[in-house]
Amino acid sequence: MTPAPTRPRPPAAFWRLARLLGGLGIGLSVLLTLGTWGLTLIFAPQLAHWLDQASAGLTNLNTGLEQLTASLAPLDLLARPETLDAVRTLGDLAAQARSAPIIGLFLSQNGVTDQALQGLQTVAGNWAELLEHRPSLPQLRAEQAEVQGWLTRVQQARQWLTPAVWLLNLGALLLGLWFLAGQWALMRLAGEQLAALTQEKQAEQPA
């Protein structure tokens, strides 16, 4: 029975290349691990500062919308159709009184001057315009709800920032150690194979 043929061993150049790649891999793993830690430790505080600023701005905006909604709530009651009709009617009556000589004479004899009628007409017009063009309370409440939603997201992101940074750093460290261990094992194997090839060459040389 003939013995099975032995597989040819890789040449020494192959193991030298493997040892070189192993050393480069160790350096790369250390560089990536330190780079990840450095970047997170540098940029995490800045990101936290931006999130704090965004949270403060959204909080102020939410407070302002809440105060504006509370201020406009009484006007919403006055902006009913019957109220607007009454205000417009009052302005129209003042305008008609100023344009009708008989009514104007009667009112002037009773102490109502044209200047007072003009002021009443102006006030009624401004009041009607204010009620018509006031911000919509449902729209304001919808915008406030959207602001509150973004405020919640920003606050949650701020709370998760520090744990996420340390989880990323820990993952990078473990991955770097795993990669470094593999490259170290490759270097050791390459060194052992090179030593074995050197011994074989020395054994083959005549004494």
Side-chain angles (χ1 to χ4, degrees):
M1 183 176 180
T2 58
T6 58
R7 297 177 58 186
R9 299 178 64 177
F14 172 80
W15 295 113
R16 291 191 186 95
L17 179 61
R19 185 171 59 181
L20 176 62
L21 292 178
L24 292 176
I26 290 176
L28 182 61
S29 64
V30 173
L31 181 63
L32 290 177
T33 302
L34 294 179
T36 302
W37 277 69
L39 289 176
T40 53
L41 294 179
I42 290 174
F43 289 105
Q46 183 63 39
L47 182 58
H49 178 65
W50 289 340
L51 289 174
D52 290 337
Q53 286 184 334
S55 178
L58 289 171
T59 301
N60 294 333
L61 182 58
N62 179 56
T63 303
L65 287 174
E66 185 175 357
Q67 294 175 351
L68 181 61
T69 303
S71 301
L72 293 177
L75 291 179
D76 195 61
L77 297 176
L78 294 175
R80 294 176 178 176
E82 56 271 20
T83 306
L84 283 173
D85 292 340
V87 172
R88 293 193 188 98
T89 302
L90 183 60
D92 293 341
L93 289 176
Q96 293 174 4
R98 293 183 62 199
S99 60
I102 298 177
I103 299 177
L105 179 61
F106 173 77
L107 292 176
S108 61
Q109 290 178 353
N110 289 274
V112 181
T113 62
D114 183 74
Q115 184 178 2
L117 291 175
Q118 183 180 2
L120 179 60
Q121 183 181 357
T122 303
V123 169
N126 293 337
W127 189 7
E129 185 177 359
L130 174 63
L131 294 178
E132 288 176 350
H133 297 89
R134 79 196 189 288
S136 173
L137 282 182
Q139 183 179 0
L140 286 176
R141 292 191 178 101
E143 292 177 356
Q144 184 179 6
E146 185 176 357
V147 170
Q148 291 174 350
W150 278 106
L151 179 60
T152 301
R153 297 186 190 97
V154 170
Q155 291 175 345
Q156 289 177 348
R158 181 64 182 89
Q159 292 174 357
W160 281 98
L161 178 62
T162 300
V165 167
W166 286 109
L167 284 175
L168 177 61
N169 287 341
L170 181 60
L173 178 61
L174 294 177
L175 184 63
L177 290 176
W178 174 76
F179 188 66
L180 187 145
Q183 300 305 305
W184 178 259
L186 177 62
M187 286 185 63
R188 288 191 57 185
L189 177 61
E192 293 174 355
Q193 294 297 324
L194 286 173
L197 289 174
T198 302
Q199 292 178 359
E200 289 180 359
K201 287 183 178 181
Q202 290 177 354
E204 292 175 357
Q205 292 178 356

